[in-house]
Each structure stands twice: as C-alpha cells, then as structure tokens.
Amino acid sequence: MPMEMTNPSPAPAALRGALADGVDHWKPRVQALAREIHALKEISFEEVRSAQVIGALLEEAGFQVERGTSGLPTAFSASAGSGELTVALCVEYDALPDIGHACGHNLIAGASVAAALALLPLVDELGITLKAIGTPAEEHGGGKALMLERGAFDGVGLALMVHPVQDGVTYNPTGTSAQAVGRYQATFTGKAAHAAAAPHQGVNAADAAVLSQVAIGLLRQQIPSDHRVACFVAEAGHVTNIIPEKAVVQFECRAFTLPEYDALHQRVRNCFEGAALATGTTLIIEEAEPLYEPLLQDDALAAHWTDAMDAFGKDTSRSSGLSGGSTDMGNISQVIPSLHPWLSIPGADVPIHSHAFAALADTPGAYAVMFEAAVALAWTAAAAASTPTERDRFIKAAYRRRTFTQEGTS
C-alpha cells in the first residue's frame, strides 16, 4: 500500500546538481531521439525501429542491453550497476493507429531515457541497480502486464515514469489514479439468407450488434459517473443483399476499482447476451487484451517528485480528484512501489488522443518540460535511494515479492 510521507528528504544539493548536469549533457541526443520516435509513429508491438534506436543510445552510454525481453520482439531491458536496490525507469514508445503520438509516448521515452542516462554515472554512489525497461504496446496489448507476468520486473524495488497531459494539470500526483480497463471482442453468429427473396430464413447478426449498442447506451444512464463503456462495430455484413451472418463488436469497460470494474463488466456482458437472445444469434465474448489494473501512486515517491517540481516552480497543489484514462503501469503499481505523475504540456488545451495533441507533443515547449521531468525522475530515484527508511522499504518489498513468486512456482 502507498506510504504517507509529508516531509520528503530531497537528494543532497551536489547530487541534484550532478543529475541536472547529466540530463543537460544528453539533451541534444535525447531530443533527437524523441523527435525520431514521434516521426516513426509505430503502433503496439510494431515499434521495431523505436526500440532499436533507444536501445542503441543506452548501449552506447554504457548500459548492458537485452533485446526481446519477455519474448516480446520490441521490448528491451537496459541494466547498469549492482546495488541491492533495483530502480526501474519505464520507457514507452508506441503510437496510436492513424493519429500517431497523440498520447505523447515520445516524451515518455525521452524523459525516462534522459533520467537513466543522468543516473548512470552515479549508480555505485547510490548503491543501485538501474534498469531502463522498454515496455511496448501500452496503448493496446498491455506490454507491461505481459512483462510483469514473465519476470521482467523481478527484483525491482521501485518503478518510475511520467505521462504527458493537457496544460493546467497539477504536478502533484498524490491521490491521482487511473482506471482499470478490460477490452473484449463480442462475436454474434447468425444465418445468411437473401435479403430480398428470403429474409425470413436468415438470422441477422448485425441486428444483434445494433441491439447491444442500444442496450449499452441505455445502461450508461444507470452507471456511476466515473465508469466508462466504449464500443465500435468492427464487422456487420459486407453487401446489402445478404442477411449478415456474422457481426463483431469491440468493447471496453473502465472503473477505478476492481470490484466496480467486475460489476460493470457483468452488466455490459448482459447487454450482449440480451441482444443475442432477442435476435436468435449465438454469442462468444473473448478477452482481446490483458486487464489493465488501477494505478497506485506511492506516496513517498510522489512527495519527492512534488518537491522536485516545486524547484521548477510548477503548480503542485493537491489534485481535486480522480481523472479518466488507463495504463498498464497500473499492473506494475499493484505489486511494486510506483510513480506515474502527469506532465503538463504548455498551451495544450486540446484532448489527448487527438491529432492536435500529437502535433503539440513535438514542440519546443513539450521537450522543455520533458527534460524538467527527466531531472525530477532522476532526483526522485536518488532521494529514494538515499533515504535509509525508504531504501529499506523498497528492498524489502522486492524481496517479499521475489520470495512469494518463488514459493508460488515451487
């Protein structure tokens, strides 16, 4: 569980200065890297070039880079140092279909890579093992969930990353979260027939798709305001003179707690099952991606981050409440103390996942705050490693998880 910490102990001034200088040293290379990733626009599990160029830069700097981590071709794990405390910086680099980096993953990659490069010369002084872990397919596919399950985060004591959002969002991550999300495919199967000569002999799967959407639309009136359901029809016939025998609906459910998510998911499934019953079709619902779990912010790490952002003169007022959206970093945070704060792009008054936001993610203002975030990530990691009580907590948490995992597989 998150640990309350109201008076963080920042890293010593000399250490902070060295880390800031380290980020500054790598600025030209990292900004070029972030811009290249933005231009590549590689989607989930297809981030071949993005993973290559990030890994190459980390390797050049002195990291030992493992490619294809966890059996995922576009994942990697870059390691340095041998300290008892393992610090992981998560690197995202997948884009959205059609609209590119409309979630600013080029900035996520740049901030984590710059922080890792700044920390690299100080791993022995800090007594850490440093990992920059390339986690593909955050938008769709749950790369972190798969890598967590397959052991890529074994032994990690704390995990960090940052995520860009619109302008005007507080830099204080305490009390913020992200929703659980599950994504599914519903397939209705009916019976084809001539749409004019014998429509009564057909069973219309497209009708089932329409009815399911109507039922979900009506359900939205009776669900809590912070729950979300979204869907689209991926297939429902191909020509007008054939009664469609197959219809496919992709859908997702979101809620801030797993019990709420489970309840919502069942109610949405009922909408599909009712549509199948009404039309006489058969229904199969399959999981399309791993479940993304709710995000937990570690309070001690959040306090260090907030202290760092105070040094940059940012708004660090307490967040007014939870906001929407989901991340597979939630899966990491459920078992490893984690930090996933928000990075506010100056002048970004447009929604994420839009063409306009994708354009703003490749601007001088965006890169300026990306480097501030890199410094703050490095300071946060250094402060956590340098604070004896926190260091001990993170090491013990990693040991307990490793022991539990070994016992579970014995």
Side-chain angles (χ1 to χ4, degrees):
M1 295 296 293
M3 178 180 178
E4 186 65 31
M5 181 177 179
T6 55
N7 296 302
S9 299
L15 182 56
R16 279 191 164 195
L19 291 168
D21 289 344
V23 170
D24 190 62
H25 172 77
W26 287 101
K27 271 185 179 181
R29 297 290 300 278
V30 174
Q31 181 161 328
L33 177 76
R35 296 202 68 186
E36 182 175 359
I37 293 168
H38 187 277
L40 287 168
K41 304 178 185 178
E42 294 176 310
I43 63 174
S44 297
F45 295 124
E46 297 180 14
E47 317 96 324
V48 175
R49 180 62 181 165
S50 297
Q52 286 176 344
V53 295
I54 297 169
L57 179 58
L58 292 168
E59 197 166 45
E60 177 188 333
F63 281 89
Q64 295 294 314
V65 179
E66 172 195 77
R67 294 173 173 81
T69 302
S70 300
L72 302 177
T74 56
F76 66 82
S77 182
S79 302
S82 58
E84 189 177 11
L85 174 62
T86 299
V87 176
L89 289 157
C90 294
V91 186
E92 294 180 7
Y93 35 86
D94 61 316
L96 286 153
D98 301 322
I99 56 175
H101 279 286
C103 213
H105 288 195
N106 62 311
L107 304 175
I108 295 173
S112 289
V113 168
L117 292 169
L119 285 163
L120 178 60
L122 300 169
V123 291
D124 292 335
E125 178 180 337
L126 292 170
I128 64 174
T129 297
L130 178 63
K131 291 191 173 185
I133 302 180
T135 60
E138 189 277 336
E139 293 293 355
H140 288 281
K144 292 186 195 64
L146 296 173
M147 295 179 75
L148 178 68
E149 182 181 285
R150 298 174 186 180
F153 287 85
D154 287 357
V156 171
L158 64 150
L160 312 169
M161 62 170 289
V162 64
H163 197 294
V165 290
Q166 300 96 321
D167 195 7
V169 176
T170 175
Y171 275 76
N172 185 344
T174 304
T176 62
S177 184
Q179 296 159 310
V181 62
R183 296 186 172 113
Y184 303 88
Q185 176 173 291
T187 302
F188 295 102
T189 302
K191 182 180 178 182
H194 195 291
H200 58 288
Q201 294 180 355
V203 177
N204 196 320
D207 287 351
V210 171
L211 283 175
S212 64
Q213 292 182 91
V214 172
I216 290 169
L218 294 172
L219 173 64
R220 287 191 178 100
Q221 301 175 71
Q222 272 73 52
I223 62 176
S225 59
D226 61 358
H227 288 27
R228 295 289 183 268
V229 183
C231 64
F232 73 93
V233 178
E235 179 183 347
H238 301 281
V239 291
T240 57
N241 62 343
I242 301 175
I243 298 293
E245 67 177 345
K246 179 182 178 182
V248 177
V249 181
Q250 302 279 350
F251 72 96
E252 65 177 38
C253 305
R254 301 185 195 235
F256 278 104
T257 70
L258 288 176
E260 289 177 319
Y261 165 81
D262 288 336
L264 175 62
H265 178 214
Q266 185 56 58
R267 296 180 76 181
V268 173
R269 289 181 73 101
N270 291 345
C271 294
F272 286 97
E273 290 168 2
L277 178 64
T279 57
T281 55
T282 59
L283 170 67
I284 296 175
I285 296 178
E286 301 169 290
E287 185 179 75
E289 301 178 17
L291 174 68
Y292 289 27
E293 298 183 19
L295 176 67
L296 301 176
Q297 305 278 23
D298 184 87
D299 286 344
L301 296 175
H304 288 307
W305 167 272
T306 302
D307 180 72
M309 281 301 159
D310 280 333
F312 286 109
K314 303 298 184 182
D315 175 13
T316 57
S317 57
R318 184 76 180 234
S319 174
S320 58
L322 303 174
S323 59
S326 305
T327 171
D328 57 3
M329 188 66 176
N331 299 58
I332 304 297
S333 74
Q334 292 288 330
V335 294
I336 297 171
S338 298
L339 184 69
H340 182 285
W342 317 108
L343 171 68
S344 187
I345 296 180
D349 57 355
V350 296
I352 62 173
H353 289 203
S354 68
H355 289 284
F357 194 89
L360 286 166
D362 188 34
T363 59
Y367 293 124
V369 292
M370 177 188 79
F371 286 117
E372 290 176 343
V375 173
L377 286 173
W379 286 359
T380 298
S386 304
T387 304
T389 54
E390 293 177 26
R391 179 185 179 88
D392 185 59
R393 175 169 69 93
F394 296 135
I395 291 172
K396 287 180 177 178
Y399 175 79
R400 285 194 299 270
R401 179 170 175 268
R402 183 166 56 246
T403 302
F404 176 80
T405 301
Q406 290 171 347
E407 290 175 350
T409 58
S410 61

